[in-house]
Amino acid sequence: MDNSPSKKVWLKFKRNKLAFSGLIFILLLVLMGILGYIITPDSSPNANTQILPLNKKKPGSTFKFIIINKNPNIKTVGFFERMLSGQKSNVTSIPITSYRLVDNNVFITPYIGDEGKAQEIKYKLNEICPRCTPHSKLGTVATLFEQYNVYEKNYWLGTDIYGRDLLSRMILGIRVSLSVGLMAVLISLFIGVSLGAIAGYFGGRIDAGISWFMNVVWSLPSLLLVIAISFALGKGFWQIFIAVGLSTWVDVARLVRGQVMALKEVEFVEAARALGFSTSRTIIKHILPNIAGPILVVASSNFASAILLETGLSFLGFGAQPPMASWGSMIKEHYGYIIMDAAYLAVLPGLAIMLTVYAFNVLAIGLRDAFDVKGQNTTV
């Protein structure tokens, strides 16, 4: 039987059903974020196909479309490029109310809303459906037209104010939130672990100087600090990585400083010094592995904080810029509809933010209990 410390931590973590469920939920989000455009109903870049007549349609709405033009010059990208960046559509289609075929013409009634009816538009059948010839062996003209030019599309979560598929943009919003959280946590860990370990190990004036700097940053409200950094770096997706990361490292640094101060006097560290090991080796190979548990706990907590900061910045217009899909910007675009007939437009991304942050928080609590760091001034 494997009695290693990591095995014991894992078994203890699995017994916490809520924390384990949070981990499963996060892994599902990661999988959806990686697959991206492969699983989105709208696979165009940024899921930005705008069909204004279909704006604010309820979840579960189904509409019929007719393809009126095909562009053979659009390049079909490979699987991985499509997964990462999407595929430009090579067809032009419009939502319709009805259509009818008369000789070599097709008369289409476009959909312009539930309250109005548009005039019919006439198209040459052989122009929009070259395969639809009376002498085709594939079937009748009506059958061929229905097969090649007519399709239905279901909007499972409805559409936004621009007629874009809400489900597709919700899925792409996962990428923004998780990537910002990951990069911000990596930046905060690099800065926090480095400064905290240096302050805790050397002490004296070095510790006093770093602690003063940490207290100055600690005293600034996180959101205001991130906004200030965003002003300095400019608006954008990549800038937000740095802005959020530079505002969340103090928690890590304070934790690491206290843990290193407690461990630097124990026997195995004294033995490393006696053997002539360098300071960097003593810290990296002997001290930091022994405080990995508390660091992992605070990193999980900071992940949730980073997601909240990113959505807050996007809501204020400093985060991911349109047309990139972000949960925060989706709430900004639609919060006015909460008191109207389309509250789901803001409620659904809000629920996504709430569930994701809650999952990371219960994960952090589960890790705290599994690593047994309750008495080590680690807060979640």
Side-chain angles (χ1 to χ4, degrees):
M1 184 177 178
D2 186 5
N3 292 318
S4 63
S6 58
K7 181 72 172 181
K8 292 179 180 178
V9 167
W10 172 243
L11 292 175
K12 192 173 181 181
F13 176 79
K14 283 209 309 184
R15 286 195 291 268
N16 189 328
K17 301 300 182 184
L18 190 60
F20 190 70
S21 299
L23 176 62
I24 297 298
F25 180 77
I26 291 168
L27 291 177
L28 286 174
L29 288 180
V30 171
L31 179 61
M32 293 172 67
I34 292 174
L35 293 176
Y37 292 98
I38 299 299
I39 60 173
T40 56
D42 180 5
S43 60
S44 64
N46 294 311
N48 195 40
T49 302
Q50 300 183 17
I51 308 173
L52 293 179
L54 301 184
N55 67 325
K56 297 185 293 181
K57 295 305 176 184
K58 301 293 184 184
S61 299
T62 302
F63 294 92
K64 184 175 286 188
F65 289 79
I66 279 186
I67 297 172
I68 59 173
N69 183 39
K70 294 185 179 181
N71 186 354
N73 297 322
I74 299 295
K75 178 184 175 184
T76 301
V77 300
F79 177 82
F80 289 104
E81 186 176 350
R82 182 189 172 196
M83 182 175 69
L84 294 175
S85 305
Q87 168 69 62
K88 289 184 178 180
S89 178
N90 64 348
V91 299
T92 302
S93 57
I94 59 173
I96 64 166
T97 301
S98 62
Y99 75 94
R100 57 191 179 93
L101 300 174
V102 179
D103 297 329
N104 192 37
N105 300 312
V106 54
F107 294 87
I108 298 172
T109 304
Y111 176 83
I112 59 171
D114 295 331
E115 299 177 356
K117 186 176 181 180
Q119 293 183 345
E120 285 187 328
I121 302 175
K122 177 182 174 182
Y123 292 94
K124 290 289 186 181
L125 183 62
N126 57 1
E127 291 180 358
I128 64 175
C129 184
R131 300 182 184 184
C132 300
T133 60
H135 307 292
S136 174
K137 297 180 181 180
L138 299 175
T140 64
V141 171
T143 302
L144 293 172
F145 187 77
E146 186 78 21
Q147 179 180 353
Y148 292 113
N149 284 70
V150 182
Y151 67 93
E152 285 190 349
K153 186 173 182 180
N154 195 317
Y155 293 92
W156 298 104
L157 294 184
T159 60
D160 65 7
I161 57 175
Y162 302 107
R164 298 176 294 192
D165 182 64
L166 193 62
L167 175 59
S168 300
R169 294 183 64 80
M170 288 282 292
I171 293 173
L172 295 181
I174 296 173
R175 282 186 173 183
V176 174
S177 293
L178 293 187
S179 58
V180 168
L182 177 62
M183 294 303 297
V185 165
L186 291 178
I187 292 172
S188 66
L189 284 178
F190 177 76
I191 298 174
V193 170
S194 300
L195 292 181
I198 292 171
Y201 189 83
F202 291 103
R205 293 184 176 180
I206 295 177
D207 179 32
I210 294 176
S211 296
W212 174 83
F213 181 59
M214 286 192 295
N215 289 331
V216 170
V217 177
W218 183 270
S219 65
L220 300 173
S222 297
L223 187 58
L224 292 180
L225 180 60
V226 172
I227 291 174
I229 296 173
S230 298
F231 268 122
L233 298 177
K235 297 180 181 180
F237 184 54
W238 297 103
Q239 291 88 332
I240 202 171
F241 290 162
I242 302 173
V244 176
L246 291 178
S247 67
T248 56
W249 63 268
V250 179
D251 289 335
V252 181
R254 288 167 64 93
L255 172 70
V256 171
R257 174 181 174 274
Q259 296 289 325
V260 170
M261 290 180 70
L263 284 177
K264 70 178 182 179
E265 304 297 338
V266 299
E267 289 81 359
F268 66 85
V269 177
E270 294 289 347
R273 290 200 196 100
L275 290 172
F277 293 157
S278 65
T279 300
S280 59
R281 173 171 176 170
T282 302
I283 294 174
I284 295 172
K285 291 198 171 184
H286 299 283
I287 295 180
L288 292 184
N290 285 280
I291 61 174
I295 292 176
L296 194 56
V297 173
V298 77
S300 301
S301 178
N302 279 352
F303 211 116
S305 300
I307 291 174
L308 282 177
L309 283 173
E310 182 276 323
T311 53
L313 283 176
S314 295
F315 182 83
L316 295 173
F318 292 98
Q321 299 299 302
M324 183 177 288
S326 166
W327 292 340
S329 59
M330 291 167 71
I331 295 176
K332 177 189 177 182
E333 291 172 349
H334 304 114
Y335 71 92
Y337 294 95
I338 292 178
I339 58 174
M340 299 174 67
D341 59 344
Y344 67 93
L345 291 173
V347 170
L348 289 177
L351 282 174
I353 296 167
M354 182 189 74
L355 291 174
T356 305
V357 171
Y358 181 70
F360 275 104
N361 280 332
V362 296
L363 174 65
I365 292 171
L367 290 173
R368 182 194 67 186
D369 295 340
F371 283 108
D372 195 23
V373 294
K374 291 181 180 179
Q376 301 185 33
N377 297 323
T378 303
T379 59
V380 176

